[in-house]
Amino acid sequence: MIFLTNVYRDIVNDFAKEQYKNSNILSRRFILKNNIVVLISVYKKIQLCEVSVSLKNDVTSDSLNAIPKWKGMEERLSEIYDDGEKRKFLSFKQIEDYERKIFFIIMQDIIEALYESSRSETLNLIKEVLVKWNVFFQFDKDFVLSDNVQQGLYGELYLLEKLIALKGEKALECWTGCNAETHDFYCGIDAIEVKSSSAKDSNRVNISNEYQLDDTGILGRLYLFCLKFKKSEIDGECLSEIVKRISTMLSPRYRFIFYNKLLKIGYIHQMPELYKIHFKIREENCYDVAEGFPRITTKIISKGITSVDYTISLDACNAFQITIESFYKGVDL
């Protein structure tokens, strides 16, 4: 496996060697599956990195139109003499004064995708990786999730870890909160809405729309899974810890799916230092959202009301509370 940061560091060190002291650019050449050649180059003066991947010779510049653009890098199609013959390469160069680590992460993702794949459509595979990262091309430099988003994500990951431990890695397929679906989990014929709170002595949950507690179209049961946290700078665990733990429970295929789902939310697993908030579970409760449960749904909203945001008191939901054990045992997977 090629580790871009290590290769970059080695090349930078090579500039100090006597035989390379007059070189303005140095490169390393690697051969992957399907005879794909990867060139990693560093420019001495500005120490910017460029990654070039060989393509089929029938590729045209028009093929690059579908590649997502990002202000942190520039791409170009060029012809390079490689191993005695002229070959076409798609090159990605880091832009000066932009975040080097983000560039390395994305390029490493491309290299790993090419390394693992047995496909020969190199350009399409590169496009798939860049489309996955496209949401970040519009973000600010720090890429930091808000406190509320981190809290909500931790709650969903807490439940996901439990389901994987009980049901196996295929439980990952049930997690849909990353796709902005109506409910956070769809488990067989059942659905689960996860709510998290870190407010002291709070027994209320916020419902952000009229669909979250609406069981219309759900063939089984709709569960409301509620977590109470202690949120701290030091006590408990942060997102990177639970992400790492879940990833060790998954096979390489499902780990790849897991990281892609996290990326949709805005979590970059290669940058754990960004996530500093710690969470500690104080309490977990579950409710069967059935007839009579206090809620607002599309069936009872008057015409002309286009959106709903409300709060429910869990004290008023005691009649619908079920044990955590019966929830884990009964949820359909």
Side-chain angles (χ1 to χ4, degrees), residues 6-24:
N6 294 342
V7 175
Y8 173 84
R9 191 181 305 113
D10 289 343
I11 295 176
V12 170
N13 291 335
D14 282 347
F15 282 118
K17 297 178 180 178
E18 182 65 24
Q19 64 265 42
Y20 301 125
K21 66 178 183 179
N22 295 322
S23 300
N24 293 319

Side-chain angles (χ1 to χ4, degrees), residues 221-224 286-295 314 316-323:
R221 304 170 75 177
L222 172 59
Y223 297 98
L224 176 61
C286 191
Y287 302 85
D288 184 5
V289 182
E291 189 67 31
F293 192 92
R295 53 181 169 165
L314 294 179
C317 304
N318 290 336
F320 301 90
Q321 187 170 358
I322 61 175
T323 65

Side-chain angles (χ1 to χ4, degrees), residues 5 19 59 96 120 135 137 152 160-161 168 183 205 229 237 258 281 296 298:
T5 53
Q19 64 265 42
V59 172
E96 193 171 1
S120 59
V135 62
F137 299 164
L160 175 62
E161 182 182 19
H183 303 295
V205 293
F229 292 137
E237 68 173 2
F258 178 50
I281 301 294
I296 297 175
T298 55

Side-chain angles (χ1 to χ4, degrees), residues 197-198 228-232 235-236 278-282:
S197 174
S198 58
K228 292 183 180 179
F229 292 137
K230 174 187 177 183
K231 188 164 63 174
S232 166
D235 189 23
H278 290 68
F279 303 96
K280 189 172 185 178
I281 301 294
R282 283 176 164 168

Side-chain angles (χ1 to χ4, degrees), residues 188-237:
I189 61 173
D190 297 333
I192 309 169
E193 186 65 31
V194 181
K195 291 295 178 183
S196 306
S197 174
S198 58
K200 293 182 179 179
D201 302 321
S202 174
N203 208 30
R204 299 175 297 174
V205 293
N206 295 322
I207 310 300
S208 58
N209 60 60
E210 65 272 29
Y211 298 102
Q212 285 192 332
L213 298 184
D214 192 342
D215 57 355
T216 302
I218 299 174
L219 299 177
R221 304 170 75 177
L222 172 59
Y223 297 98
L224 176 61
F225 188 84
C226 298
L227 292 170
K228 292 183 180 179
F229 292 137
K230 174 187 177 183
K231 188 164 63 174
S232 166
E233 293 184 0
I234 55 174
D235 189 23
E237 68 173 2

